[in-house]
Amino acid sequence: MSTCPSCYESFSSGDSAALVPRRLGCAHVICTSCLTDVFDSGEICCPECFVVHQCESVDIIAVATDAIPVPTEPSNGGPSATPSNGASAAIPRTSKLGNFLTSVPAVPKAAAPVQSAVNSGRLPAERVRVVEKLLGEAKPIASHAASEMATQLKETNLINQLKSAPCKDTGVLGTSDAPLFDPKELAERFRRQQRMALGEAMALIQEARRVLAAEQTMLELQPKLTVVGDLHGQFYDLLNLMEISGSPADGVQFLFLGDYVDRGKFSCEVILFLLALKVTYPTRVWMIRGNHECKSVSGHFGFKDECKMKYGLVVYHQFMLCFRAMPLCAIIRAPYGNMLALHGGISPELNTLDDIRAIDRFAEPGETGALCDLLWADPLGDGDMHQLDERELKQFLATDWVANPLRGCSHCFGYNALMRFLEHNGLLCLIRAHEVQEAGFYEHFDVGVIEQGMDSRYTRPDFTSRLPILKGPVMTVFSAPNYCDSHGNKGAILCIGDTLESWMICEFDCVPHPEPVVTPSAADAKLLSMVLACPYMPTTFLEMVNVAKELGPPGPMVESAPPKLDSKPRRNSLRTNKPAGSGRAVGDVAAEDAGEGLMRIESISVKDIRKAFETGGSAPTSASSSAATAFEGGVATSAAAGTARAVNGPSSPGRKRPSLDGITSRRKSSVMDLRLKFERP
């Protein structure tokens, strides 16, 4: 292996320190740059198998010298010796997937240019090599062997498209004439609540991660452009949004401001659909990172659990690596001025746009710092600004930074700090998301309200003359209508045109969505069968403790004399029908044990036990008197001590036998919860 399986870059010995291969304790070889990206507070999470390794720094990890490619001596035929069979050199013949792909001829192309004899009738070697690496990324899935994973990936629609799609030998996955991930087809599958195959999802995330990582931290965009705010897993509202504004297939350019996951019930569908759009239309779809695109937030607000249920935790970890590759903001350069679009807000640590470009975005945001502020910061609340007198309004406008009490991290930026940042960088306004708005959008620091509360010395900002459609220097766009199915707000998108007349804010309402189809796990199925078979038996340790608490502490222990045995064995006594001479029957053994001080246990039918529970624990009537006494009083037998003790018999003074009604109702509730889980359509 001469390339890093995480970033696909070739290993290097000393030319580039970032590409030096290092071997982790799990035996995976990763380049220094990728290990630096996942290094966090003395821990490194392997990008391949996600095993956490303890280390003080990346530099102390051993260098894998065997992974460094050995330079070849130049030959007479050219600067370097080239193998006669390029496809065989790129793909090990021991690879099942490589053999499968290279053994199936592609569909012949009409009027195709003449190809070399080496690649004639086969897939391009580089495209197959990339798929091989995607398969390597998928090895940690569950505990499947590599051959099983190759079979699973081989049977997906992705590989079928790779085999049949007409392509050019470009060496890049996803650049063929036919798209590998058809967003339209994917949207219809998700609309019917059908999931992607595991191999397809892994390949899509890896390809999207490669495309996003190649982009700059600050995108450079031009109108016409449709800006979309928070989506939060509302997939059916996203499809409705595309029908209103048009899709990238129609030539519409989109800028998504982050927060694609969490809160909603279809986060996996939203992010996979957007990644498919990004891979298919990389110059029409732009995605920047939000505060929910990180491990510390998505692990607590639903996305991690949804990934675990639908695809497995390995897909969730791949999403986390993909989120780190997303750009942080975008500069929109229009003929009438420049605008900055991001998810959260500005930071006291950022003075220029170059400061944003210098941020290392391939990391998890902390509780403070520039990266945290870009994802978490909010403008200072101005809802009651019209109620302030002139002195209070001047004090409010002079505020720079205050702590953010709502978020618990980052800052709230004031009017003074915002205008100073905009003027210093030649920007008209700030376009952001991050906050739910009743109308779907909101314009902060309304200039008209400020003019009414101030004297004539107030100078109007530059944007009021160059972009008169805006009321304030900050606009928040929120595109998730009826947020969390409870807020009742509208959604909105911002259409930025190349002229002032083409500016437009489009509001829309939510659309109905079905309940997600939940597939119960095998553990839930086993638990349901256990509960249905034994409805009164605690199935968890907590339930057992609760039952024990309801039963209370035991009463006094009273020894009872051994019962007098009859010479004739009773009908309900324990015995076996064994032929003569084959050994003693169980009833005979019980009779002999009783002579030594042991009590014979009478058998009680299931019908008697069920009737006892239904009547609140009354004695069975079909069993013998000693068995009834044992059931009613709670007889405990100890074979080791050779004594029988009656616990809490009906004659125990001052002790009321607990009722089973509470236990019964609780168990019925658990059964109903499990049944609903299985019977939900």
Side-chain angles (χ1 to χ4, degrees), residues 30-69:
I30 311 295
C31 70
T32 304
S33 176
C34 293
L35 291 179
T36 304
D37 292 341
V38 297
F39 179 77
D40 184 17
S41 302
E43 294 182 348
I44 288 183
C45 180
C46 176
E48 288 289 280
C49 63
F50 306 105
V51 174
V52 178
H53 304 274
Q54 304 291 335
C55 63
E56 297 179 358
S57 66
V58 177
D59 297 332
I60 67 175
I61 302 176
V63 177
T65 55
D66 57 334
I68 300 175

Side-chain angles (χ1 to χ4, degrees), residues 256-417:
F256 294 92
L257 298 182
D259 275 11
Y260 315 107
V261 300
D262 284 334
R263 306 288 190 182
K265 300 178 180 179
F266 301 95
S267 295
C268 289
E269 286 76 6
V270 168
I271 185 62
L272 288 173
F273 176 63
L274 291 180
L275 293 181
L277 288 175
K278 178 63 182 176
V279 171
T280 308
Y281 308 102
T283 59
R284 298 180 193 171
V285 176
W286 309 96
M287 301 172 64
I288 64 176
R289 189 177 185 181
N291 64 304
H292 280 260
E293 279 70 63
C294 64
K295 186 180 298 183
S296 58
V297 179
S298 62
H300 296 86
F301 289 92
F303 181 56
K304 183 177 182 179
D305 294 334
E306 183 179 336
C307 280
K308 181 179 179 181
M309 181 189 68
K310 294 181 178 179
Y311 296 99
L313 284 181
V314 66
V315 173
Y316 171 75
H317 290 300
Q318 291 296 322
F319 273 129
M320 295 302 105
L321 296 177
C322 182
F323 290 160
R324 293 183 181 187
M326 289 182 175
L328 300 179
C329 60
I331 287 289
I332 305 173
R333 302 191 182 278
Y336 40 83
N338 300 332
M339 295 154 280
L340 178 63
L342 41 70
H343 182 75
I346 59 177
S347 171
E349 301 181 11
L350 301 174
N351 297 318
T352 64
L353 298 180
D354 290 334
D355 294 338
I356 301 179
R357 295 186 179 98
I359 295 177
D360 179 18
R361 75 178 193 261
F362 297 92
E364 286 290 311
E367 296 182 0
T368 58
L371 178 58
C372 174
D373 293 332
L374 289 176
L375 304 180
W376 284 93
D378 294 308
L380 201 60
D382 61 343
D384 55 351
M385 189 171 60
H386 61 282
Q387 300 177 357
L388 304 178
D389 56 30
E390 184 173 347
R391 181 183 63 83
E392 294 172 336
L393 185 57
K394 287 182 179 179
Q395 184 178 359
F396 173 78
L397 297 179
T399 303
D400 285 336
W401 308 94
V402 297
N404 196 329
L406 179 63
R407 309 292 182 180
C409 64
S410 187
H411 301 84
C412 289
F413 55 91
Y415 177 82
N416 190 41

Side-chain angles (χ1 to χ4, degrees), residues 447-633:
V447 175
V449 176
I450 296 176
E451 282 184 331
Q452 292 179 2
M454 298 287 289
D455 53 23
S456 57
R457 291 177 296 177
Y458 173 72
T459 304
R460 292 176 64 90
D462 185 39
F463 78 89
T464 57
S465 59
R466 299 172 62 185
L467 194 58
I469 191 174
L470 285 182
K471 297 180 180 179
V474 182
M475 173 175 283
T476 295
V477 181
F478 196 82
S479 304
N482 195 22
Y483 179 48
C484 297
D485 289 336
S486 60
H487 282 63
N489 61 288
K490 289 182 176 294
I493 54 176
L494 173 63
C495 301
I496 300 177
D498 49 5
T499 61
L500 296 179
E501 292 76 15
S502 58
W503 263 67
M504 182 175 61
I505 300 174
C506 180
E507 303 177 40
F508 56 93
D509 293 314
C510 66
V511 295
H513 66 81
E515 287 296 319
V517 175
V518 179
T519 304
S521 63
D524 291 335
K526 189 177 297 183
L527 180 61
L528 178 62
S529 62
M530 185 189 308
V531 169
L532 293 177
C534 306
Y536 300 102
M537 183 183 71
T539 55
T540 64
F541 178 75
L542 180 59
E543 289 183 357
M544 185 182 69
V545 171
N546 291 333
V547 171
K549 289 169 62 177
E550 291 186 16
L551 293 176
M557 306 294 289
V558 181
E559 291 190 5
S560 61
K564 189 175 182 180
L565 294 176
D566 298 334
S567 58
K568 183 185 296 184
R570 298 184 182 180
R571 184 181 59 181
N572 290 333
S573 60
L574 298 176
R575 62 183 183 272
T576 56
N577 298 324
K578 301 181 69 174
S582 61
R584 294 178 300 172
V586 178
D588 299 334
V589 176
E592 294 182 10
D593 291 340
E596 299 175 2
L598 296 180
M599 179 180 178
R600 180 174 57 189
I601 304 300
E602 301 286 353
S603 64
I604 304 173
S605 66
V606 176
K607 180 179 179 181
D608 299 330
I609 297 176
R610 186 175 300 171
K611 184 175 181 181
F613 277 111
E614 292 175 354
T615 57
S618 61
T621 58
S622 61
S624 61
S625 59
S626 60
T629 306
F631 184 83
E632 180 73 18

Side-chain angles (χ1 to χ4, degrees), residues 440-452:
F441 71 99
Y442 185 77
E443 295 167 284
H444 303 264
F445 307 123
D446 193 330
V447 175
V449 176
I450 296 176
E451 282 184 331
Q452 292 179 2

Side-chain angles (χ1 to χ4, degrees), residues 1-4 7-13 16 18-21 31 67-69 129 133:
M1 180 179 64
S2 60
T3 57
C4 175
C7 64
Y8 306 150
E9 295 290 341
S10 299
F11 290 134
S12 173
S13 57
S16 176
L19 297 178
V20 174
C31 70
I68 300 175
R129 184 176 64 84
K133 291 175 180 178

